[in-house]
Amino acid sequence: GHTTVMATVTFWGAKELLQHLAENESTNSISANSEKSEQTAKKTQQSYVGSSSLGDVNLAGLPRIGFSFDDDFLQQDQLLESVDGHDNPLHWALLEFQIPVYCPMESLIIGSRLDITDATGTSSTGGDATTSTPSSSGSVTSCRLAFAGRLMESVDLEQGQANQIKTYTVKERRGVIARLGDPHKRSDDSRVVRYEVFGADLFKKETNMKVFVGMRVETENTGDVGEIKSSYGTEGQFRVAFPAGTEAREGEGLIMRFKRFVHDDEKKMYQDLQLADARPGTRIESEKKKNKKQPLPKGIKPHGEVVSLKGDVLENGKHNMAIISGFFSMEVNIRERAGAKVRIPSTKEEGTVVGPFGKAGKCKVSFPDGISAGPGTKADLHLS
């Protein structure tokens, strides 16, 4: 027998089911060893997508696919008519019945439209799944059938089991490459790449960067995947490392994509991006550094010392900012020297000048990997 009852339906999983069927079809095609086997595989695929026959549930576009609460699904707002050029794709659907209904597992569920407009513009309603008949003008009105499916799982709404369905939305943030790291000649192909870049415009100045350390970003033009290693400076900039190197250029886009699951109260960010295997290279010395050292401008000295440590404490226990005196006189505009390299000889730690600190010629120096040297430690300034 059959029962007609009202239900609220939520659809999802069209993209994932299409991929699942495509993978199965690919496997079937590879294993086929005759023309007959290939023809059978094509017929099977045709029965999966776009079939309207409901006479046999096994041949009505309803392959037996088990559902897993461990799988991730892209959130949908409605039943999709097509996905990636494939019409009438399969969906998963959650039905919330208004009243209890006896329906054994693998029962056939048929959903019908509640409001259909005929060729004369008159609306007709009904709960049973029937097809329309030709109108007096000879045209055919819309079909009442909305969807059909096999009942696969029983879900306890009172226990919140519906919230265990892992649907997610895709979010993204966009920034730019503000500065490139040192060039390297990659060993395996001799291409000139950068193993680190410095990004901007992805975060606000007040953003807590610790939350984003370890997140992956992609270069917009080349698709290289890098990892955020630390903040850089005080304006929301950050340092990104590329194990295999990148040929991206200054000013190109950086994209951070991530998932947020709909029923995750903590609103955590999840990523599927994988870092490429390391492809080492040799640092290329710039022409400026090959040339003989030029005298330093007036008011600038090559040596100074650490006055104090500032900024955030990194995971390695080191501060990421230091105040250094002795490099500049009070008359020097330190902002014009932002980006100049600073090296601590005793610890071999390197940083860059960020800007002035106070009015006595002191400067703030950012150390992306942290600084362990304490107050009084000697520091060297290297102007580029």
Side-chain angles (χ1 to χ4, degrees), residues 14 49-50 76 78-91 113 146:
V49 181
Q76 295 177 202
Q78 60 186 357
L79 181 69
L80 302 180
E81 295 183 359
S82 66
V83 174
D84 296 335
H86 296 269
D87 295 333
N88 303 321
L90 289 171
H91 289 66
R113 306 174 193 275

Side-chain angles (χ1 to χ4, degrees), residues 61-335:
L62 302 173
R64 296 180 181 275
I65 301 175
F67 179 77
S68 173
F69 285 96
D70 294 328
D71 292 340
D72 299 346
F73 301 95
L74 181 65
Q75 187 184 27
Q76 295 177 202
D77 296 328
Q78 60 186 357
L79 181 69
L80 302 180
E81 295 183 359
S82 66
V83 174
D84 296 335
H86 296 269
D87 295 333
N88 303 321
L90 289 171
H91 289 66
W92 289 111
L94 175 68
L95 287 81
E96 301 179 48
F97 296 106
Q98 291 186 351
I99 59 174
V101 178
Y102 174 74
C103 43
M105 290 295 103
E106 304 217 1
S107 295
L108 178 62
I109 305 294
I110 300 176
S112 63
R113 306 174 193 275
L114 295 180
D115 194 354
I116 296 296
T117 302
D118 63 21
T120 64
T122 304
S123 296
S124 59
T125 61
D128 53 338
T130 59
T131 57
S132 58
T133 58
S135 65
S136 58
S137 63
S139 62
V140 179
T141 60
S142 301
C143 177
R144 286 193 187 279
L145 294 178
F147 64 89
R150 180 188 291 116
L151 192 62
M152 300 300 296
E153 291 282 347
S154 176
V155 178
D156 191 336
L157 297 179
E158 293 184 358
Q159 296 297 323
Q161 195 172 7
N163 292 343
Q164 296 178 21
I165 299 173
K166 298 170 64 176
T167 56
Y168 65 88
T169 57
V170 177
K171 306 287 185 180
E172 72 173 38
R173 293 190 177 196
R174 288 179 172 266
V176 297
I177 297 175
R179 189 167 71 85
L180 299 173
D182 293 333
H184 288 70
K185 185 177 181 180
R186 195 159 52 194
S187 300
D188 57 9
D189 61 1
S190 299
R191 299 188 72 89
V192 177
V193 298
R194 317 285 173 142
Y195 289 106
E196 70 174 13
V197 302
F198 299 88
D201 299 339
L202 196 66
F203 308 106
K204 295 180 180 179
K205 179 180 179 180
E206 60 273 13
T207 299
N208 180 9
M209 285 299 300
K210 291 181 180 179
V211 178
F212 296 96
V213 170
M215 295 288 286
R216 311 285 168 80
V217 297
E218 292 179 90
T219 56
E220 186 170 22
N221 294 344
T222 59
D224 299 319
V225 179
E227 185 177 59
I228 296 177
K229 288 296 186 180
S230 66
S231 59
Y232 176 73
T234 58
E235 300 298 323
Q237 295 187 351
F238 53 97
R239 184 171 65 95
V240 183
F242 292 86
T246 179
E247 296 182 70
R249 294 290 178 257
E250 189 172 313
E252 291 185 14
L254 285 174
I255 306 173
M256 183 177 71
R257 295 187 177 94
F258 56 91
K259 297 178 182 178
R260 276 227 169 97
F261 287 92
V262 176
H263 301 297
D264 182 10
D265 294 333
E266 297 182 10
K267 303 298 180 184
K268 291 183 178 179
M269 297 174 290
Y270 298 87
Q271 292 183 304
D272 297 326
L273 289 174
Q274 298 296 322
L275 290 173
D277 293 335
R279 299 170 65 184
T282 305
R283 184 173 176 274
I284 300 174
E285 188 176 357
S286 67
E287 291 298 324
K288 289 183 179 180
K289 293 184 178 180
K290 290 180 181 179
N291 295 334
K292 186 178 179 179
K293 289 185 178 180
Q294 299 295 323
L296 291 175
K298 184 179 179 180
I300 299 178
K301 297 181 179 181
H303 306 295
E305 67 176 37
V306 177
V307 176
S308 61
L309 303 181
K310 299 286 185 182
D312 297 328
V313 177
L314 304 179
E315 292 182 356
N316 58 16
K318 301 179 182 180
H319 286 78
N320 69 343
M321 188 78 67
I323 308 302
I324 297 181
S325 65
F327 289 154
F328 307 103
S329 65
M330 294 179 60
E331 294 77 17
V332 174
N333 185 353
I334 298 177
R335 288 186 176 86

Side-chain angles (χ1 to χ4, degrees), residues 14-82:
K15 175 173 175 276
E16 291 77 15
L17 282 169
L18 186 64
Q19 292 175 344
H20 177 83
L21 295 176
E23 290 171 359
N24 284 353
E25 177 63 19
S26 176
T27 302
N28 291 338
S29 297
I30 293 174
S31 62
N33 55 12
S34 69
E35 182 178 352
K36 182 177 180 180
S37 297
E38 292 178 0
Q39 293 175 349
T40 302
K42 291 180 180 178
K43 290 180 180 179
T44 302
Q45 183 186 36
Q46 292 173 356
S47 72
Y48 284 165
V49 181
S51 174
S52 59
S53 171
L54 296 177
D56 186 338
V57 69
N58 295 320
L59 298 177
L62 302 173
R64 296 180 181 275
I65 301 175
F67 179 77
S68 173
F69 285 96
D70 294 328
D71 292 340
D72 299 346
F73 301 95
L74 181 65
Q75 187 184 27
Q76 295 177 202
D77 296 328
Q78 60 186 357
L79 181 69
L80 302 180
E81 295 183 359
S82 66

